[in-house]
Amino acid sequence: MLNDKIKNHKIILASGSPRRQQFLKELEIDFEIRLKEIEEIYPDHLKAEEITNFLAKLKASAFENELQDNEVLITSDTIVWLDNKALGKPSDATHALRMLTEMSGKTHKVITSVCIKSTKKEVVFHDETLVTFTDLSLDEIEFYLKNYKPFDKAGSYGIQEWIGLVVIEKIEGSYANVVGLPTHKLYKELMNF
């Protein structure tokens, strides 16, 4: 259905995330992947969705003068927001262990922002999901890090992996958003784009 609406456009996903790529396939969107190395640095005063909005737009700005008239670019960024601070991707295993220890037994917010950009316009939107973890033991954290190596994931975990099955007590909001792309909002925005 969406493909009919966007058939005269080439959709470009600027993400190396296999999870985001899979979502676009499941939405039956024909797309190509174009990647650019972006240093994900944002001003210190930004909070919560201001951070992800900024980074999604920053990623899109890297393609500024390269888009053709029929191309539509999709960029996105996800963070975990806990105790009034952002948890992005871990720098190493020790950092990942610290993050998961901090999240143990608490509720955190997963925020994903998406930027849709063409030569004519740009739309930025975000989604938030609350995720509650049960208490995690050190053994469980170490097992997860050793076996799943979630070092490319915001907050050092993937909800679709082992940890999601054993630790998540409650989720309020979009599951897809926690995986890394609020597909229900993306679908609607692309239909209107």
Side-chain angles (χ1 to χ4, degrees):
M1 194 167 150
L2 178 56
N3 251 339
D4 284 345
K5 193 94 171 163
I6 57 175
K7 66 177 179 242
N8 297 324
H9 294 87
K10 182 190 273 186
I11 303 296
I12 297 150
L13 178 66
S15 174
S17 162
R19 298 161 298 281
R20 289 185 182 131
Q21 293 167 17
Q22 187 59 39
F23 277 144
L24 259 58
K25 286 178 190 155
E26 288 170 12
L27 286 170
E28 297 182 358
I29 296 173
D30 294 325
F31 66 97
E32 74 172 54
I33 297 160
R34 277 190 213 159
L35 302 177
K36 285 193 181 283
E37 277 298 313
I38 305 290
E39 216 173 334
E40 296 182 21
I41 296 173
Y42 54 87
D44 290 340
H45 67 275
L46 297 182
K47 302 266 183 242
E49 76 279 358
E50 294 171 346
I51 296 169
T52 51
N53 285 349
F54 178 89
L55 291 173
K57 285 176 78 165
L58 180 72
K59 290 173 183 179
S61 71
F63 294 84
E64 191 63 54
N65 299 311
E66 294 177 22
L67 291 178
Q68 304 299 311
D69 285 342
N70 69 329
E71 293 180 330
V72 176
L73 176 72
I74 299 170
T75 62
S76 63
D77 192 76
T78 302
I79 60 166
V80 165
W81 188 253
L82 176 71
D83 298 334
N84 211 31
K85 67 174 191 271
L87 305 180
K89 294 172 187 158
S91 51
D92 56 29
T94 306
H95 188 206
L97 185 126
R98 197 166 60 243
M99 281 189 200
L100 290 170
T101 303
E102 275 182 63
M103 290 190 284
S104 176
K106 293 182 186 167
T107 299
H108 62 268
K109 194 184 285 184
V110 177
I111 306 167
T112 301
S113 291
V114 178
C115 179
I116 304 174
K117 184 180 178 67
S118 70
T119 54
K120 292 176 185 66
K121 69 179 193 177
E122 179 178 277
V123 175
V124 179
F125 59 93
H126 80 281
D127 198 25
E128 300 179 359
T129 306
L130 292 175
V131 181
T132 304
F133 274 16
T134 57
D135 289 323
L136 265 165
S137 70
L138 183 60
D139 284 348
E140 287 166 333
I141 294 171
E142 286 175 342
F143 169 84
Y144 177 63
L145 294 177
K146 180 174 178 256
N147 291 286
Y148 292 87
K149 299 176 179 43
F151 309 121
D152 64 333
K153 296 175 178 73
S156 307
Y157 80 95
I159 192 172
Q160 69 280 12
E161 297 174 340
W162 176 84
I163 200 165
L165 298 173
V166 299
V167 176
I168 293 174
E169 192 173 280
K170 186 167 64 170
I171 173 172
E172 295 170 67
S174 163
Y175 170 85
N177 183 57
V178 183
V179 179
L181 199 63
T183 50
H184 63 297
K185 288 191 173 181
L186 177 63
Y187 175 83
K188 196 169 156 188
E189 292 290 345
L190 282 173
M191 287 293 278
N192 296 328
F193 198 77

